[in-house]
Amino acid sequence: MTGIAILGFGTVGSGVYNVIEKNHDHIMANTGLDLKVVRICDIKDIDGEPGKIATKDFEDLLKDPRVEIIVETMGGLHPAREFSEMALDAGKSVVTSNKELVADCGGVFLRKAKELGLNYMFEASVGGGIPVIRSIMNSLVGEDITSAKGILNGTTNYILTKMSEEGVEYKDALTEAQRLGYAEKDPTDDVEGIDACRKIAIIASLIYQKAVDPEDIYTEGISSLTKTDLEYASKLKATIKLLAKFRKTDEGVAMMVCPFVIKRGTPLYGVNGVYNAVTVNGTMMGEIMYYGKGAGMYPTASAVVADVIREAQHFGKDISPGWTADKMKLIDICEEVRFFLVRTGKEDEDLVKELFGDVKIVHLEDRPEEIGFFTPEYKEKDFMELYNRLSCPVKFIRGDIDADS
Ligand code: HSE
């Protein structure tokens, strides 16, 4: 029997319990492992069968000799950080879905686990049920990866899809995403791009083996996007998605998280609802794409259980992915080339042609006072000079191009 303890019995923690219970025989048949959740720790009362093995005292998990792996699904930095450290010190490997903790100090835990002959595993921290981390670390290990970009937050993708396809208001779509268990406890992390930022920081740290501090990444969320922005994008045969991306250059790595216009016909255009997708470019393989459900109880729990199984199959062997303590150098995003969706006053129509050339201008029926258009491609700093010369600009939204993929 492999004894597992679950720390934090919320959406993901209870999903892990159910997956292990429901798939027990299937896992046993496939791997020979007899997985059993022997303890659960949460500050709230737990009903039913799982309540019988519940405790409010974390020390009970550490003292229990049956517990070999602690699944940390409590989220947040504290006390998850202290508890994860105590778990490793007590000789238990840790499997987590906590992207905040992994992005903040994953490198420290990885080194500590290695020193102790344990593992710290976090497949579920990025892309929910999509096995992004293991695939990047194993299948792409021989690649020189030049860039990656992804839709890495299910909540915002769900919201933008609802707004765009069903004309649902932002607030109603967010409430529904919370009801479905996609959103973080504080959905600010989702809608302001912070969650996607942590996930892209983890991916880049793994690929380049250097620590990326999420605080250093230029990040914008979707809270200032409106249905009108999505209508303009649609009129121009495009949509808007929250993208997290990086691109390696000779000077360093350009990384950012913000809403991007995506043209119809490109791979990420069709990624809708709670689905996440990541495209990765390597010098030999070209572009590949991962796709699947990026949030929700069972997709995330499934990724946690996959890590638990892998650890149980390799006790004592170093199988954690990892990165060094060196900090990655990030470069100014204003040097990046892209197109832009611009909204400005109708009186700027001639000026637009003068500044941006012969661009296609569109109008929305209910906004006779305004025009919208895509610019040619510019370095962001050059675009800003032109944009600032418009007489009544409303807003601009960056456009995603294949060249920066
Ligand atoms: N709140 C996150 C999301 C959960 O919406 O993607 C999965 O990490």
Side-chain angles (χ1 to χ4, degrees), residues 130-132 135-136 139-140 268 276-280 288-292:
I130 317 170
V132 180
S135 165
I136 287 175
S139 308
L140 308 189
L268 295 175
N276 280 193
V278 191
T279 59
V280 182
I288 57 164
M289 175 159 148
Y290 300 96
Y291 174 83

Side-chain angles (χ1 to χ4, degrees), residues 99 152-155 182-184 190 195 199 294-295:
K99 53 251 155 152
L152 290 172
N153 182 270
T155 301
Y182 301 155
E184 299 303 302
D190 295 296
D195 179 72
K199 291 167 179 168

Side-chain angles (χ1 to χ4, degrees), residues 18 31 42 49 101 120 134 150 158 193 212 215 221 289 295 315 324 330 390 397 405:
N18 291 342
T31 65
D42 201 294
E49 269 309 293
L101 190 61
Y120 183 71
R134 190 157 306 133
Y158 180 86
V212 179
E215 304 254 316
M289 175 159 148
F315 277 131
T324 66
L330 300 186
L390 291 169
I397 298 165
S405 58

